[in-house]
Amino acid sequence: DTAVSQTPKYLVTQMGNDKSIKCEQNLGHDTMYWYKQDSKKFLKIMFSYNNKELIINETVPNRFSPKSPDKAHLNLHINSLELGDSAVYFCASSQASGRSDEQYFGPGTRLTVT
Amino acid sequence: AQSVTQPDIHITVSEGASLELRCNYSYGATPYLFWYVQSPGQGLQLLLKYFSGDTLVQGIKGFEAEFKRSQSSFNLRKPSVHWSDAAEYFCAVGAKTSYDKVIFGPGTSLSVIP
């Protein structure tokens, strides 16, 4: 069974469109995250939720909106896509607070905005 | 705030040779330290972590890391590299801040020559 899954794996879209990426974890973890990895492999946290409550909200354009319907799911919706949004987006989860817990990562969603 | 540097952007080693990947962190107290590996097209996987106690930590896949407080370092080592170790390696630090988040270093890309 896949521990952390993301859909879709690849997403190609045009500027100005709205898209969503879905994430699900079956590990029973309380905390979930969204990370953005740019073309230089730099990994930056975007959001973190603990038991459906937003606990980390980094300096991210408000075009990005996370939604956690339950603690097993954390989706990422992006409005008015821009070229600079092209990246690989990783979902991750951990048992509790991320600073001390191992994080389990999904396989990533490669977003290409044309 | 905590920060992580990985001085080597890219390292190439021959199969069977030893490996050391460098990581330096900046934080006022003892942080939580992690090494993650990202194989091509995959998400990140935890290799090992250090919280306290023995400064030499053993991980999966034959990796180990040593915490040196005096040097603010947490270098990753492997005595004999296998071709399958070719990947991106990330050092990360977690610390108690207003947000319990983990900061990832810029990564070191490892190539292995057969």
Side-chain angles (χ1 to χ4, degrees):
Chain A
D1 281 343
T2 302
V4 182
S5 59
Q6 297 178 228
T7 53
K9 190 168 176 64
Y10 300 96
L11 187 52
V12 181
T13 188
Q14 292 183 328
M15 285 176 54
N17 286 348
D18 303 338
K19 290 294 179 185
S20 291
I21 306 172
K22 295 185 177 182
C23 177
E24 176 181 3
Q25 55 96 2
N26 62 8
L27 299 167
H29 287 168
D30 290 336
T31 307
M32 296 185 72
Y33 314 81
W34 277 111
Y35 287 89
K36 179 181 180 180
Q37 187 175 49
D38 63 23
S39 59
K40 295 185 178 180
K41 301 281 187 175
F42 186 68
L43 198 66
K44 190 174 190 306
I45 190 166
M46 301 172 69
F47 303 102
S48 173
Y49 271 74
N50 182 266
N51 277 320
K52 303 194 298 175
E53 184 177 340
L54 181 66
I55 58 172
I56 295 176
N57 185 353
E58 290 295 281
T59 308
V60 176
N62 57 16
R63 298 181 294 104
F64 290 79
S65 54
K67 283 189 172 54
S68 182
D70 55 62
K71 74 174 193 177
H73 296 83
L74 180 62
N75 304 322
L76 183 66
H77 188 75
I78 315 171
N79 290 326
S80 303
L81 278 154
E82 300 178 356
L83 292 177
D85 298 331
S86 295
V88 181
Y89 292 84
F90 287 100
C91 177
S93 71
S94 65
Q95 180 64 44
S97 165
R99 67 181 173 99
S100 60
D101 269 10
E102 173 181 0
Q103 294 186 30
Y104 292 78
F105 283 78
T109 295
R110 182 174 293 277
L111 171 65
T112 303
V113 182
T114 62
Chain B
Q2 70 270 35
S3 65
V4 187
T5 56
Q6 293 178 247
D8 304 306
I9 296 173
H10 186 257
I11 284 182
T12 300
V13 300
S14 297
E15 191 168 18
S18 63
L19 171 70
E20 181 169 28
L21 302 182
R22 296 183 291 164
C23 172
N24 293 98
Y25 68 90
S26 173
Y27 184 61
T30 301
Y32 300 97
L33 294 163
F34 307 83
W35 274 101
Y36 283 84
V37 61
Q38 182 182 21
S39 298
Q42 305 291 319
L44 280 71
Q45 180 186 21
L46 182 72
L47 286 175
L48 46 80
K49 60 185 178 184
Y50 173 79
F51 292 168
S52 63
D54 192 348
T55 56
L56 185 62
V57 181
Q58 301 297 320
I60 62 171
K61 305 185 181 187
F63 286 92
E64 66 177 27
E66 186 171 13
F67 169 62
K68 292 186 177 180
R69 184 190 306 275
S70 61
Q71 299 177 18
S72 297
S73 68
F74 188 55
N75 294 348
L76 182 72
R77 300 195 294 250
K78 186 169 184 176
S80 178
V81 170
H82 188 262
W83 64 266
S84 61
D85 293 325
E88 193 82 20
Y89 291 80
F90 294 92
C91 182
V93 57
K96 184 66 174 178
T97 62
S98 56
Y99 301 113
D100 287 337
K101 63 184 179 183
V102 171
I103 303 297
F104 285 84
T108 296
S109 177
L110 174 65
S111 296
V112 181
I113 301 172

